[in-house]
Amino acid sequence: MSKKAAKPTAQKPWYLQSPVLLGVGIAAVFVILIVLANLFFTKPKGSERAIGQDFNAEMGDPNAPVVVYEYSDFQCPACSYFNREHKPVLEEKHIKTGNVRFIYRNFIVKGEKSYLAGEAAYCAAEQGAFWAYHDTLFEQHDRGVDFNKANLVRFARNLGLKEEEFKKCLDERKYAQRVREDMEEGIQRGVNATPSFYVHGTLVRGADYLGLLAAIQQNLPLSRR
């Protein structure tokens, strides 16, 4: 008698045939998920600032001998450069040491979304997070993230702010007039570009850190220079 023909062996799926390829595929998916999480769900660097104490758009000793006003736009690349490269040094050497009181003002040059971002920063200030939100705006804009309302609310949520309170503040345009007043003040002081710094009557234009330091030194008491 002839033997029965052997049944054909079922072909294994590709991922069982090649465990190495399966591992590479899983690893790639894992990396993509991590990147997306970092972009959209993790707290940005601005969250390193303490939340709950920055109720004003200023920092430093209220009685500091030198007062510096910065006029800035959250969509301005030069403003972001100053915030990233020079402001941390200014904080360590002059603001934290009591030499300078540093005050932020909005000066809108980049359109309606800059107005909205300025208002959002003041809404964050209601919850003690002005500077954390300020830093977040610059960081997110550097990443190419759009300043639509949904994203502005997401930034607040990622910082741990009360989302509904923040959203209500933004929807009502509660600080629209304050942003306009910032602009008017800047115009009266001769500001026509961002960033600009006003130091006791001296206007320093652009991210000119050396010029800003010179203006600060000029107005410091001799005992502090």
Side-chain angles (χ1 to χ4, degrees), residues 61-159:
D61 186 347
N63 299 311
V66 178
V67 181
V68 175
Y69 289 84
E70 178 189 14
Y71 292 88
S72 182
D73 183 314
F74 287 115
Q75 294 190 107
C76 157
C79 301
S80 179
Y81 173 81
F82 176 83
N83 185 68
R84 182 177 64 253
E85 299 297 330
H86 297 313
K87 189 160 169 290
V89 180
L90 185 68
E91 284 188 53
E92 289 299 320
K93 291 189 174 181
H94 290 287
I95 297 173
K96 290 181 180 179
T97 57
N99 287 339
V100 169
R101 178 186 176 199
F102 190 88
I103 301 173
Y104 183 91
R105 293 285 192 261
N106 291 284
F107 196 86
I108 308 304
V109 295
K110 294 290 185 178
E112 183 60 27
K113 288 183 179 178
S114 291
Y115 275 103
L116 197 60
E119 294 170 32
Y122 287 144
C123 288
E126 284 191 346
Q127 298 187 46
F130 176 82
W131 289 106
Y133 197 86
H134 161 284
D135 291 352
T136 296
L137 286 171
F138 280 126
E139 290 160 8
Q140 294 295 332
H141 185 261
D142 286 347
R143 294 179 180 181
V145 179
D146 186 70
F147 284 173
N148 55 48
K149 279 189 178 182
N151 282 335
L152 293 174
V153 172
R154 178 170 61 83
F155 302 158
R157 180 171 63 248
N158 287 350
L159 287 171

